[in-house]
């Protein structure tokens, strides 16, 4: 059961990353006007850093059950859960709780801890 919880947490993290990445590129950036163009490109890359981090954490959570090392599993779960929980907190504070992203990220963190 613990292994399934880790894999579900990883899938939720990857899904959140996919939704974040797609909505950012289709809804947010087309409406923003940032000058100069080089700053716009930089903003786009910086905005997508969480997307890459959540995908990486999700992949590691999915792979953790197949690892032979308890220490690797421990640090993958702790690091990924902290990443997801901090992202959930930032989302909740930044949007004053009006955005569903903090719930999804918080759920992924909680499921990862439950699978520990």
């Amino acid at each position: 059961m613990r292994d399934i919880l880790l894999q579900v947490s990883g899938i939720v993290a990857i899904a959140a990353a996919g939704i974040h990445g797609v909505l950012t590129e289709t809804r947010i950036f087309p409406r923003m006007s940032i000058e100069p163009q080089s700053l716009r490109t930089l903003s786009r890359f910086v905005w997508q850093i969480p997307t890459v981090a959540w995908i990486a954490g999700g992949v590691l959570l999915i792979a953790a059950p197949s690892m032979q090392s308890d220490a690797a599993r421990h640090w993958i779960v702790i690091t990924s859960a902290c990443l997801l929980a901090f992202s959930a907190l930032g989302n909740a504070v930044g949007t004053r709780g009006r955005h569903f992203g903090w719930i999804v990220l918080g759920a992924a963190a909680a499921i990862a801890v439950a699978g520990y």
Side-chain angles (χ1 to χ4, degrees):
M1 184 67 173
R2 290 176 42 209
D3 294 346
I4 292 171
L5 288 173
L6 288 183
Q7 292 171 335
V8 167
S9 175
I11 291 168
V12 171
I14 292 170
I19 292 167
H20 178 265
V22 169
L23 289 180
T24 296
E25 294 298 328
T26 60
R27 303 277 176 129
I28 304 294
F29 276 111
R31 296 179 183 172
M32 292 177 73
S33 61
I34 301 171
E35 296 296 331
Q37 184 63 32
S38 61
L39 190 56
R40 180 177 175 86
T41 303
L42 176 65
S43 296
R44 181 173 254 141
F45 277 113
V46 169
W47 195 296
Q48 293 299 356
I49 288 172
T51 303
V52 175
W54 299 336
I55 290 170
V59 168
L60 287 173
L61 285 168
I62 291 169
S66 65
M67 295 185 179
Q68 302 300 318
S69 169
D70 287 334
R73 179 187 182 111
H74 169 80
W75 287 110
I76 287 170
V77 173
I78 296 300
T79 304
S80 297
C82 287
L83 167 74
L84 294 166
F86 186 74
S87 298
L89 178 65
N91 189 303
V93 171
T95 64
R96 296 187 195 116
R98 295 185 301 231
H99 187 273
F100 69 92
W102 72 270
I103 297 170
V104 175
L105 294 169
I111 295 168
V113 170
Y116 177 70

